Amino acid sequence: MPACPEGADAVILEALKRLDVQVTLGEANEKYLSGQSTQIPAFTQIKTPRRFTRQLSVGRSQINA
């Protein structure tokens, strides 16, 4: 498990950034980050383009699994 103070989701986002994959966050995350909601999302939803088919996992966090 890579050591990262922000957690496994930050490691996955950094990996996607290094792979030059454009990602968007889920609706709940966007509302929280923009200040429209004070409810903290239970998990981070990461949306990738359909052509990105790799499976990434860090600990229990997974994408495209």
Side-chain angles (χ1 to χ4, degrees):
M1 172 74 179
C4 182
E6 292 84 20
D9 292 334
V11 174
I12 290 175
L13 287 171
E14 179 67 25
L16 291 169
K17 181 179 176 182
R18 289 182 183 206
L19 291 169
D20 198 30
V21 176
Q22 299 295 323
V23 298
T24 57
L25 296 177
E27 183 180 347
N29 294 91
E30 289 292 337
K31 284 183 178 181
Y32 176 71
L33 292 173
S34 68
Q36 294 176 354
S37 173
T38 58
Q39 186 174 11
I40 299 173
F43 60 93
T44 303
Q45 183 180 20
I46 302 169
K47 298 179 183 179
T48 59
R50 289 187 183 257
R51 65 184 181 127
F52 182 78
T53 57
R54 286 188 185 178
Q55 178 179 340
L56 298 176
S57 61
V58 176
R60 292 187 197 170
S61 298
Q62 299 181 44
I63 187 169
N64 289 347

